[in-house]
Amino acid sequence: MINTKTYKYYRDKWLSKRIPTAKSVQLSNRSIFILPSKMGIGFLVLCFILFLTGTNYQNNLILLICYISVSLFISAMIFAYFNLKDLVLSQHKQERFYAGSNSFIHIKLGQDNQQTSKNAFSLHFKIENQPSVSLDKLTDPCVVQIPTAHLPRGKHKQPRIKVYSNFPCNLFTCWSYVDLDIHLIIYPSPKNAVEALNTRSSLPTNESKHSLHGKTDFESIRDYQKGDSPNIISWKHVAKYNDRWVSKTFEQQVSVKHWLDYNAMSGDKEARLSQLCYLVTQQGNVEFGLKLPKQIIEQNKGQQHTQNCLEALALC
Amino acid sequence: MLTNKGNPLLTNSTSDYSSANIHHIFKHLPIQIATLLALITLSLFSSLYLWVIAVVLLLLTWQSQAWLAKAINSNKENQLYHPLQKWLQNVLALSVTALIAVEAIEKGMLASMVNLLFVATTLKFVGATQRKDHNIVLVLNVFLLATGFLFNQSIGYFIVIATLLFCNFILLASINSRALTIKEASSLIMKLVLLGLPIAALLFVGFPRLAPLWKLPNQQHASTGLSDTVEMGSIAELTRSGKLAFRAQFLKQSPLPQDLYWRTMIHERYDGKRWSIAPFRTNQSLINMPAFANEDADYVITYEPSFTKFLPVIDGGYTRHSSILSLPSRTVEHKELVTQKIQYYVKQFDEHPDKFSLTPEEVHANLTLPKFINPKTRELTKELRLQSPDTEQFAQHVMNLFSQKPFAYTLKPPLLVSYGNNQIDGFMFETKAGFCAHYASAFTFMMRLAGIPSRLVTGYLGGEYNQTQNYYSVYQFDAHAWAEIWIRGKGWTRYDPTSMVAPERILNSLQNALPSESSSIASNSFSLINYRQYAFINWLRISMNNVDFYWSRWILSFDAKSQNNLLEMLFNNKGSIARAIFVGIGLTVVLIVGFIFSRFFFANRQQSPVQLWIEDIRKIFPDLLVSQLNITPNQLLAAVELAHPCTKPQVLELKGIINSILYKNVRLTASTQRRVKRLIQVLKRQQKKTEMKK
C-alpha cells in the first residue's frame, strides 16, 4: 500500500522529467493526460448494457445505437485532447501579497503568437487543496486568477497548477500539471506600529523633529495643485467631496529623510517586521531608508523603492 | 488588477451551477430536458402503459411550472427552487413500482422493465438539483430511446429515435460546457457524430455478432402471423391487417402471380371445428438437403417477426440457413420463435424425396375425420363420388360445385357457431358465403370423405410486385388457405377451391378481389394502401416500400452470416484475423482523419475581416500589385486610387473604415460590414467598366 506522500513524491519526480519547469508551457501530447471521467465510465457501462440487450434480443438497431454511442465516446476523446492541445500558459506578473490576505497567482492563457488565437472550452485551474477557477470559453488571450494557499511571510515556490477540462459532454477528463516556476513573495502583514512606538520615546528619526506617525502627520488639506504627487492626494476626501480634488499638506514634507530601524521596533522578529512593513507602506513621498539586521537599504523614495524595502522585509 | 481582458465568461466558481450562472442554467436547461423527456415518452407511446405516460407527463408539467416560476422570479431572494420533496418522491417511486409489478404478471417482464426504468428516470430528473443528476438522466435517456427498438424497428421510427438521441447529446454537451449556446452545442455534436459515424459503421459491419448470451423470456406479443389452427372465421381478422408479412426478392426469374402460393403450415388434424397441425409432425425427423451457395438460390426472403416458427416458401423450396429446418411435410421451420427480422435464401428442388411415397402415419392423419358429423355433406359427397371414381375427376367435380352453386366470397361471413360440429353443412347448404378457409376446409373435408388423403394448407398468396427492385411484398392480408390432395403418381397436388368462387383473388391481390363492402383493406384507415388508386400516393407508398426494403435487407437482417459473407467478399477469408485487420485498419484511418478534422475545429484559422476585404480588393485588381505582396492596406488602397482615379470616394471611405478598425479599435458592426461589401462591389463594377473601355 503506497501512502499519499510517497505517491506524490514519485509523481512529482516523474512529472518534473516529463513536464519540466518553464516560464511558459505549451501543452502537447507529452504534457496532456486523458482518462474517462466518472460519467464517461458510466457511459461505457451503458454502452455495454446496450450491447448485451442488442445481442440478446438480436436487435440490430439497439446494436447500432450502442456503436453510435461508442463512436461518440471515441470522438469525444479526440476533441477533449485537442481542446487542451497548444494551450500556452505563462506567468502574468510577479505576485506580491501581504501575509494573512488572500493570495493568487495570475496565469496568462493563449498563444504567444498574436496572429492565431486558441479556442478552448470549460477550462478549470486548480492548485492542490485549493478551490478551482473555471473559464467557460477561451477565445482571446486572457488572464486567470488562481487562489493559492494562505502563506506565511517569505518567498514561496508555487506547486504545479492542475489545468483540466471535461469538454465535451463530460465524458473525458483531460488534464495537465504545469510548473511555471512561480514564486510568491509574501510581505509581512502590516501592523500598526503607532502604539508600539508610543511606548518607547526614541523615534527612528535623525534629521526631523517631527514624528512620522503615518496618517496622523498631515496637518490639513488643500486644493489639488498640478504637480502634486498622487501619494499626497487625500483619496478619502476626494471621494467625500465628489469631484473636488484635495491634497494633504504635510508639515516639513520636504527634505525629511529618516531611517526605519529594525532595532527600534518592539516584539519578536515577526512583530518587528510587521511594524516595519506598516511604516514602509505609510511613507508616502518621504525619503527613507531601511536598516535590517543583515541588510541596509539606502535612503530613497518612490514606488520601486517601497517595493524593494517590502521585498527585503519579506525575505529577511 | 487585470484579471480578464474583456472576457465576460471568466468565472470564479468552485461548485456546479455557481451562483453567477444559476439563472442561466435553470432558466433553460431543465425545461429543455423536461421537453426531451416528454418527447421520449411520446415516442415510446406504444410500449409504455397509459397510466405511466400520464404520471410522467404530469410530473414533468408540474415540475416545469416550478422551474418557470423560478426562472421568472430568479431575482427575488425568497423564491427558492424546491425540487420534489424527498419523501414524496419515495412514496411515488414505491407505489409506481408496486403497480408495475402487478402489471408485469399480465404484460410480461420486458415491458414492465422499460416502464420501471422510465418512471425511475423521470423521478431522478424531477428530484435533480445538480448537474450530476442531469447527467445521469441524460445517459439513462440513451438506454430508454434504444429500448424503443424492441417494439418497433421501422425506418420512420428509427429516424424519430435518432433525432431524439441527437437532441439528447446536444443537451449533454450544453449542460457540461456552459459557454456553448444550443446552436454551438448542436454543431459540436454534429461534428462528433460525423467523426464517429465511420467508427460506428465499422463496428456495425465488423464487430462480431454474437448469439444471445443467455435466454430471455419470450416477449409477450400479440401474434400477428398465421395461426397454427384454422377455425372458420379466424383468418377474417388477419386478412384485414395491412402489416407486412415478408418480402421475397427473386434472384432468377419470378414465377407467375397465380403460382405464388407461399406454403407455411399444413393442417392435418380436424376435430369438427378447427384444423390443426398433426401431433406426429412436431417431432419429425429432418431431411437432409443438398447445400447450395447463396448465388444459386432462387429467391431470398426477408421475414418480419411473426412469433411463430413456420416460414413461408413456395412449394418445393428449401434453405440451408443454419437455424432453419427442412421438414418432411415440405415446410420449413425456424428453430426458435421468430422474434426478429430474419433473412433466408431459398432454392427450389426439382424432385422432392417424399414426392411419391406416403407413410402410414400420413395416410392415417390425412384421412381421419370425426364420425357422424356433417350428414348432408356426407350425402352429397357419396353422390358425387359415385359419378366420378377417378380422383382427379372427383376433385374437379367438387371444385366446380363451388362455381355452379351460388357461393359468395366475403370477408364477413355469417357465423357458423350455431351449427356446432356441423359447420361445414351449415356453410355448404345454408350460408354459402365465406372466404378461403371455408372453401378449403369444406373441400378437404369432402376429399377425406371420399377416401382421398387430403390436408389444409395455410400461407400467403400473391403479393405486391415491385418492378424496380424485383421483389414481392406480402402483407398479412395476403394470408390464404387452400387444400392439397394426394394423387397417386403425382404426389401432393394443390387445389384452391377459392379460385372457383373468386378467381380474381388468385390472379390479383386481395384488394381487387373484395367487393365494395370492405373497400378498406387495412383496418387502419391511415394506411396508405387504402389510397392506392391515387397515382402519387401509390408512387409515394412504393418508394417508401423500397427504402424499407433496403432497410430490412441490409440493416435489420444483417446478421453474423451476412457479416461473414461480406468479409469473405472483401478478403476471400472469413477468419477472425481478417476481421481484426479490417477493424484495425478502419479504426486507424478513422482516428487519423479525426485528428486532422479536430485540428480544423480548434485551430482558429479565421482571418480578420480586414484581411478578407484586402484579399477581395486584390482579386479585383489582379494586375495592379503582383510584385508587392507585403503592403499595408493603406498602401494598397493608395495604389488602387492611383491606378483608377475614379475610385477615389470609395477608396477614401474604405481607408477611413479600415484605419478606424485597425488603429482605433473601433468595433466592427454588421452595418459597417455591409457598407464595406457594397463599396467593394462598386470597385468591382468600376474595374469592369475600365476594362470594357480598353
Side-chain angles (χ1 to χ4, degrees):
Chain A
M1 189 74 196
I2 309 164
N3 63 26
T4 14
K5 222 173 176 182
T6 31
Y7 160 73
K8 268 185 190 160
Y9 171 76
Y10 284 108
R11 187 193 71 179
D12 289 346
K13 210 171 144 186
W14 183 76
L15 274 174
S16 59
K17 265 190 221 154
R18 180 127 189 137
I19 316 171
T21 305
K23 284 287 170 206
S24 166
V25 171
Q26 179 164 23
L27 299 184
S28 67
N29 53 347
R30 269 191 77 77
S31 42
I32 296 172
F33 309 114
I34 183 164
L35 274 182
S37 65
K38 249 187 214 168
M39 190 178 129
I41 292 166
F43 191 80
L44 277 184
V45 170
L46 167 95
C47 290
F48 184 67
I49 295 171
L50 278 179
F51 180 76
L52 283 186
T53 318
T55 302
N56 269 356
Y57 284 97
Q58 297 284 294
N59 192 316
N60 274 351
L61 293 185
I62 295 181
L63 285 178
L64 194 63
I65 295 281
C66 166
Y67 297 149
I68 286 174
S69 304
V70 169
S71 66
L72 194 96
F73 188 76
I74 294 172
S75 39
M77 177 177 71
I78 296 172
F79 271 59
Y81 167 71
F82 276 100
N83 189 37
L84 281 194
K85 191 183 171 354
D86 289 338
L87 183 70
V88 177
L89 299 105
S90 54
Q91 191 181 4
H92 181 54
K93 59 174 186 190
Q94 181 62 48
E95 317 286 347
R96 294 151 208 279
F97 295 95
Y98 295 105
S101 66
N102 288 335
S103 51
F104 308 97
I105 49 182
H106 291 91
I107 301 293
K108 194 172 159 230
L109 300 173
Q111 281 181 335
D112 291 337
N113 184 354
Q114 287 291 316
Q115 291 295 308
T116 56
S117 56
K118 159 97 186 137
N119 264 345
F121 298 90
S122 294
L123 300 176
H124 306 274
F125 304 88
K126 185 176 160 61
I127 287 177
E128 211 158 28
N129 301 328
Q130 298 304 310
S132 67
V133 171
S134 309
L135 177 63
D136 286 345
K137 186 180 180 182
L138 172 74
T139 45
D140 303 312
C142 78
V143 174
V144 284
Q145 175 181 310
I146 308 165
T148 62
H150 282 278
L151 295 164
R153 182 185 66 84
K155 189 175 182 181
H156 302 275
K157 167 98 172 67
Q158 284 305 292
R160 284 177 178 269
I161 301 160
K162 185 180 180 185
V163 188
Y164 63 100
S165 171
N166 289 328
F167 177 86
C169 300
N170 198 11
L171 294 176
F172 280 90
T173 307
C174 199
W175 77 99
S176 182
Y177 287 101
V178 291
D179 189 348
L180 297 173
D181 196 20
I182 294 175
H183 294 270
L184 275 190
I185 293 172
I186 304 289
Y187 304 145
S189 64
K191 272 208 193 96
N192 199 334
V194 180
E195 299 91 55
L197 291 172
N198 278 345
T199 56
R200 299 175 62 152
S201 52
S202 71
L203 288 167
T205 56
N206 308 346
E207 291 156 43
S208 165
K209 62 172 183 170
H210 287 281
S211 61
L212 285 158
H213 292 177
K215 272 179 202 158
T216 53
D217 70 352
F218 76 86
E219 215 166 61
S220 62
I221 52 168
R222 60 168 169 80
D223 275 349
Y224 174 79
Q225 286 166 357
K226 232 180 175 181
D228 278 353
S229 153
N231 285 338
I232 63 161
I233 292 169
S234 175
W235 295 106
K236 264 189 188 170
H237 291 92
V238 173
K240 211 189 221 164
Y241 300 147
N242 226 346
D243 265 345
R244 206 180 127 208
W245 285 52
V246 284
S247 301
K248 298 180 230 177
T249 54
F250 293 90
E251 256 179 46
Q252 302 241 351
Q253 56 174 284
V254 199
S255 82
V256 175
K257 284 187 177 180
H258 62 97
W259 288 96
L260 300 175
D261 193 351
Y262 177 82
N263 293 325
M265 301 294 136
S266 61
D268 62 356
K269 186 180 175 186
E270 292 306 319
R272 285 168 191 239
L273 289 175
S274 281
Q275 289 158 19
L276 279 175
C277 178
Y278 177 78
L279 289 172
V280 166
T281 56
Q282 297 304 324
Q283 289 313 308
N285 206 24
V286 178
E287 258 185 65
F288 69 96
L290 189 61
K291 279 182 187 166
L292 291 172
K294 286 174 189 164
Q295 193 183 6
I296 290 170
I297 294 178
E298 287 306 321
Q299 284 169 328
N300 201 343
K301 65 175 180 179
Q303 232 171 347
Q304 187 58 45
H305 175 65
T306 313
Q307 213 164 63
N308 290 344
C309 293
L310 287 172
E311 202 166 309
L313 288 173
L315 303 179
C316 181
Chain B
M1 193 175 283
L2 179 74
T3 56
N4 184 359
K5 270 190 200 160
N7 193 333
L9 297 161
L10 182 75
T11 49
N12 288 313
S13 71
T14 50
S15 63
D16 290 339
Y17 301 149
S18 72
S19 58
N21 283 295
I22 198 151
H23 304 157
H24 162 73
I25 296 294
F26 275 105
K27 227 175 227 170
H28 309 292
L29 279 167
I31 306 285
Q32 282 162 0
I33 300 173
T35 317
L36 182 71
L37 254 175
L39 286 174
I40 295 174
T41 321
L42 295 178
S43 78
L44 291 173
F45 190 80
S46 55
S47 49
L48 292 177
Y49 305 146
L50 272 179
W51 63 267
V52 166
I53 294 175
V55 166
V56 165
L57 291 182
L58 260 172
L59 272 173
L60 289 177
T61 323
W62 178 71
Q63 198 61 28
S64 296
Q65 249 182 333
W67 283 315
L68 274 177
K70 155 87 187 153
I72 291 160
N73 300 315
S74 56
N75 45 353
K76 290 182 194 164
E77 285 290 317
N78 54 351
Q79 286 275 346
L80 273 172
Y81 157 69
H82 287 295
L84 190 61
Q85 297 287 318
K86 203 86 195 160
W87 67 267
L88 191 60
Q89 207 177 329
N90 290 339
V91 168
L92 256 171
L94 273 176
S95 44
V96 167
T97 313
L99 275 171
I100 288 177
V102 171
E103 293 251 20
I105 300 163
E106 202 184 317
K107 305 217 165 118
M109 279 303 281
L110 183 75
S112 302
M113 290 311 287
V114 173
N115 277 285
L116 195 62
L117 188 65
F118 207 83
V119 175
T121 310
T122 314
L123 281 174
K124 176 84 196 162
F125 171 61
V126 168
T129 48
Q130 280 184 306
R131 183 168 51 187
K132 205 174 75 185
D133 302 326
H134 286 160
N135 272 331
I136 293 171
V137 169
L138 289 175
V139 169
L140 283 176
N141 274 352
V142 177
F143 188 75
L144 278 179
L145 282 167
T147 53
F149 293 132
L150 290 173
F151 308 98
N152 188 346
Q153 294 192 60
S154 71
I155 186 161
Y157 191 68
F158 179 77
I159 291 169
V160 170
I161 294 289
T163 314
L164 289 176
L165 193 70
F166 192 72
C167 297
N168 190 57
F169 284 133
I170 290 172
L171 287 182
L172 193 62
S174 58
I175 71 168
N176 287 303
S177 308
R178 271 172 291 201
L180 292 179
T181 60
I182 286 293
K183 209 174 145 192
E184 284 171 324
S186 35
S187 91
L188 169 71
I189 292 297
M190 186 72 94
K191 281 168 187 156
L192 285 174
V193 168
L194 279 181
L195 175 59
L197 268 187
I199 306 177
L202 264 172
L203 286 170
F204 188 76
V205 173
F207 198 83
R209 291 299 150 104
L210 306 177
L213 302 174
W214 62 81
K215 282 264 178 201
L216 287 160
N218 284 326
Q219 280 165 276
Q220 296 258 322
H221 224 279
S223 164
T224 52
L226 293 169
S227 165
D228 55 359
T229 59
V230 178
E231 259 177 284
M232 288 187 177
S234 71
I235 289 183
E237 283 140 46
L238 247 192
T239 41
R240 295 179 64 79
S241 157
K243 266 193 178 167
L244 185 71
F246 62 92
R247 285 205 177 94
Q249 189 181 24
F250 285 91
L251 305 171
K252 293 170 182 169
Q253 70 191 89
S254 46
L256 295 170
Q258 60 264 38
D259 292 331
L260 284 175
Y261 279 88
W262 303 99
R263 288 171 94 251
T264 309
M265 273 180 270
I266 53 165
H267 308 268
E268 292 167 305
R269 204 179 119 104
Y270 186 59
D271 64 357
K273 275 179 189 146
R274 68 176 72 84
W275 293 88
S276 52
I277 294 164
F280 77 92
R281 291 286 186 195
T282 52
N283 46 11
Q284 258 189 328
S285 59
L286 317 167
I287 46 174
N288 277 324
M289 291 297 179
F292 61 90
N294 282 351
E295 302 88 75
D296 299 331
D298 288 301
Y299 52 94
V300 50
I301 289 184
T302 314
Y303 192 60
E304 302 286 317
S306 64
F307 303 93
T308 62
K309 287 182 174 182
F310 298 93
L311 301 175
V313 284
I314 295 177
D315 193 8
Y318 71 103
T319 165
R320 61 151 207 174
H321 199 284
S322 58
S323 56
I324 297 175
L325 313 169
S326 296
L327 302 176
S329 53
R330 290 152 68 189
T331 52
V332 293
E333 190 182 305
H334 199 251
K335 279 179 182 164
E336 273 152 29
L337 294 187
V338 183
T339 55
Q340 296 301 323
K341 277 197 192 203
I342 56 163
Q343 203 169 59
Y344 52 96
Y345 287 82
V346 187
K347 189 169 167 57
Q348 298 290 123
F349 51 78
D350 310 318
E351 292 290 315
H352 195 280
D354 80 336
K355 190 159 184 176
F356 303 109
S357 62
L358 210 56
T359 63
E361 251 178 337
E362 280 179 301
V363 175
H364 178 74
N366 287 300
L367 284 174
T368 310
L369 286 176
K371 300 235 156 61
F372 313 119
I373 60 166
N374 297 320
K376 282 182 181 172
T377 311
R378 278 171 192 271
E379 202 66 29
L380 179 71
T381 313
K382 219 178 258 173
E383 264 174 49
L384 287 171
R385 187 60 170 160
L386 284 172
Q387 287 171 25
S388 44
D390 178 58
T391 308
E392 279 179 85
Q393 211 181 352
F394 172 71
Q396 201 50 52
H397 232 101
V398 177
M399 292 280 278
N400 292 340
L401 197 72
F402 292 116
S403 60
Q404 286 154 6
K405 289 198 173 165
F407 280 97
Y409 184 78
T410 174
L411 286 180
K412 290 176 180 169
L415 284 173
L416 296 167
V417 185
S418 55
Y419 296 97
N421 275 348
N422 297 328
Q423 285 180 353
I424 291 176
D425 266 8
F427 166 67
M428 292 290 289
F429 299 97
E430 309 282 333
T431 63
K432 291 186 177 171
F435 53 89
C436 55
H438 296 80
Y439 293 99
S441 54
F443 181 83
T444 316
F445 185 78
M446 288 167 81
M447 289 298 124
R448 284 193 183 183
L449 284 179
I452 304 165
S454 57
R455 59 196 187 188
L456 189 88
V457 183
T458 53
Y460 299 89
L461 171 60
E464 185 185 41
Y465 184 57
N466 184 306
Q467 279 186 327
T468 50
Q469 307 303 330
N470 188 34
Y471 68 82
Y472 281 91
S473 302
V474 181
Y475 298 94
Q476 292 296 354
F477 58 65
D478 288 321
H480 192 55
W482 59 93
E484 280 178 352
I485 63 171
W486 176 262
I487 301 173
R488 192 158 300 145
K490 273 191 178 175
W492 286 109
T493 311
R494 180 180 67 229
Y495 277 84
D496 187 355
T498 316
S499 65
M500 305 310 289
V501 188
E504 59 284 0
R505 167 72 186 92
I506 300 350
L507 287 168
N508 301 310
S509 200
L510 178 66
Q511 294 104 324
N512 304 339
L514 282 175
S516 57
E517 55 151 355
S518 45
S519 56
S520 160
I521 295 298
S523 43
N524 178 1
S525 59
F526 291 111
S527 184
L528 281 180
I529 208 151
N530 295 330
Y531 307 99
R532 53 183 288 145
Q533 62 269 34
Y534 304 106
F536 173 72
I537 294 183
N538 205 32
W539 171 83
L540 189 76
R541 188 176 65 87
I542 287 171
S543 317
M544 275 160 53
N545 241 335
N546 278 341
V547 172
D548 194 44
F549 171 69
Y550 282 115
W551 179 251
S552 315
R553 182 101 159 67
W554 294 113
I555 305 287
L556 298 184
S557 35
F558 187 85
D559 54 7
K561 204 175 169 70
S562 342
Q563 205 174 29
N564 278 336
N565 288 338
L566 188 75
L567 288 172
E568 219 170 320
M569 204 178 76
L570 288 174
F571 300 105
N572 262 334
N573 178 356
K574 53 181 169 180
S576 52
I577 300 166
R579 192 198 301 277
I581 293 169
F582 177 65
V583 173
I585 293 175
L587 277 180
T588 322
V589 169
V590 166
L591 285 178
I592 290 167
V593 170
F595 267 64
I596 298 163
F597 181 80
S598 348
R599 286 195 83 98
F600 277 106
F601 181 68
F602 287 104
N604 201 348
R605 298 171 309 115
Q606 266 187 347
Q607 281 178 301
S608 75
V610 174
Q611 270 174 311
L612 291 173
W613 298 336
I614 294 301
E615 285 295 308
D616 284 350
I617 295 171
R618 277 189 180 204
K619 270 179 209 155
I620 297 172
F621 306 100
D623 50 330
L624 192 61
L625 307 148
V626 187
S627 57
Q628 299 163 286
L629 277 169
N630 291 315
I631 54 168
T632 65
N634 280 325
Q635 281 170 326
L636 173 82
L637 288 170
V640 168
E641 197 189 330
L642 200 68
H644 306 268
C646 57
T647 59
K648 196 177 178 186
Q650 287 83 31
V651 166
L652 272 180
E653 194 173 347
L654 275 174
K655 261 187 187 172
I657 293 172
I658 289 176
N659 287 340
S660 66
I661 289 168
L662 287 182
Y663 307 114
K664 291 184 196 161
N665 282 333
V666 173
R667 273 182 74 92
L668 176 67
T669 60
S671 62
T672 328
Q673 200 147 13
R674 254 173 288 155
R675 178 76 196 142
V676 170
K677 282 207 176 124
R678 208 166 302 143
L679 287 171
I680 291 175
Q681 265 170 5
V682 172
L683 284 181
K684 204 173 191 172
R685 238 174 283 144
Q686 280 173 345
Q687 161 72 2
K688 266 185 192 163
K689 263 186 211 163
T690 45
E691 263 177 27
M692 297 270 272
K693 274 178 200 165
K694 278 174 193 171

